Amino acid sequence: MREKTERIVREWGDACDAEVSIAVLGGAWKPSILSLLGEHEVLRFGELSRLLDEPTARVLTRQLRELEDDGLLIRTVYRQVPPKVEYRLSDLGRGSMPLVEALTDWGGRYAAHQRRELARPTAEPAPLDELEAADAR
């Protein structure tokens, strides 16, 4: 477990479990990495980089290390030339998939709502839509 995650788990108590989730899953590429590994099961660094399309090698390496340190990924290094490294989800990582999927679903609905708002010609608020109705429940 990363030092930051361990500190949050030890000090924040049960009242902040959502914050623990955000601390572990939060990051520019972590949900996308988890989603891709959930879909493909095993990926190498270069494959992840190509599928994500944008992160620098440094950023991707950092995100992968954090996910590994927090126990969500298993990194397997094959001692060969050139070196081969594979990533797969651990049991904890697989357990995070429903949350990642829920975040993806909510994010899509949120983005659609905001796009509609941006397209509105007036400053008049939009009527209650699916996103707001779902959040009201």
Side-chain angles (χ1 to χ4, degrees):
M1 181 179 342
R2 287 183 299 144
E3 184 179 318
K4 175 183 175 184
T5 307
E6 183 177 346
R7 188 182 74 248
I8 290 168
V9 168
R10 287 182 189 278
E11 295 175 7
W12 289 14
D14 292 341
C16 295
D17 287 346
E19 292 296 330
V20 173
S21 299
I22 297 301
V24 174
L25 298 176
W29 299 100
K30 288 180 184 179
S32 296
I33 292 167
L34 294 169
S35 291
L36 286 171
L37 287 171
E39 179 182 338
H40 295 278
E41 294 188 28
V42 176
L43 289 170
R44 294 175 63 184
F45 184 90
E47 293 169 322
L48 275 166
S49 184
R50 280 188 295 280
L51 289 168
L52 292 170
D53 197 34
E54 291 186 37
T56 63
R58 181 175 184 231
V59 168
L60 181 55
T61 298
R62 182 175 180 181
Q63 297 292 284
L64 288 166
R65 283 185 184 153
E66 289 180 6
L67 287 166
E68 180 186 8
D69 290 346
D70 284 337
L72 277 71
L73 293 186
I74 297 170
R75 179 177 182 259
T76 305
V77 179
Y78 297 92
R79 305 280 181 211
Q80 64 185 45
V81 177
K84 177 180 172 182
V85 179
E86 292 181 338
Y87 297 91
R88 66 178 39 87
L89 294 176
S90 67
D91 289 340
L92 279 173
R94 281 190 293 281
S96 74
M97 293 313 297
L99 179 56
V100 171
E101 291 164 3
L103 286 169
T104 301
D105 180 53
W106 184 86
R109 289 185 287 121
Y110 176 82
H113 170 79
Q114 294 298 59
R115 284 186 204 104
R116 285 192 305 273
E117 285 297 304
L118 290 170
R120 292 177 65 79
T122 66
E124 177 184 320
L128 189 65
D129 68 2
E130 289 178 18
L131 176 67
E132 293 160 335
D135 289 343
R137 287 183 225 148

